[in-house]
Amino acid sequence: MKTLNSIAIEYLLRNDSQKNNNKSEDITKEVVRINAEQHTKNQKSLLFQMYDLEEQGEYLFV
């Protein structure tokens, strides 16, 4: 039979692991969001670089 102390310790450990799990899920979501933002910035940067190259090419043929 479990004592009140062992039940309390199991409860605290279970709640602590759930809190840590939620924190790790939050961290994972934040990392995914940051990676998506960085990817978008890189794509915009690449687009601007291509646009600049296109403009430079037009000046060469003028």
Side-chain angles (χ1 to χ4, degrees):
M1 182 171 154
K2 294 184 179 180
T3 64
L4 186 58
N5 285 339
S6 66
I7 294 171
I9 290 172
E10 287 177 7
Y11 173 79
L12 291 173
L13 289 174
R14 185 172 44 248
N15 280 349
D16 190 45
S17 69
Q18 287 175 351
K19 287 179 185 176
N20 287 338
N21 190 25
N22 288 341
K23 287 178 187 177
S24 101
E25 286 177 8
D26 291 343
I27 290 170
T28 302
K29 288 178 185 177
E30 187 65 16
V31 167
V32 169
R33 184 187 66 78
I34 290 171
N35 286 341
E37 284 180 7
Q38 189 64 37
H39 180 69
T40 302
K41 286 179 183 178
N42 289 341
Q43 291 297 316
K44 286 181 182 177
S45 176
L46 180 60
L47 182 63
F48 287 127
Q49 289 176 13
M50 291 173 63
Y51 181 73
D52 287 341
L53 286 173
E54 184 179 332
E55 282 187 340
Q56 291 173 5
E58 288 176 3
Y59 291 129
L60 291 174
F61 294 114
V62 173

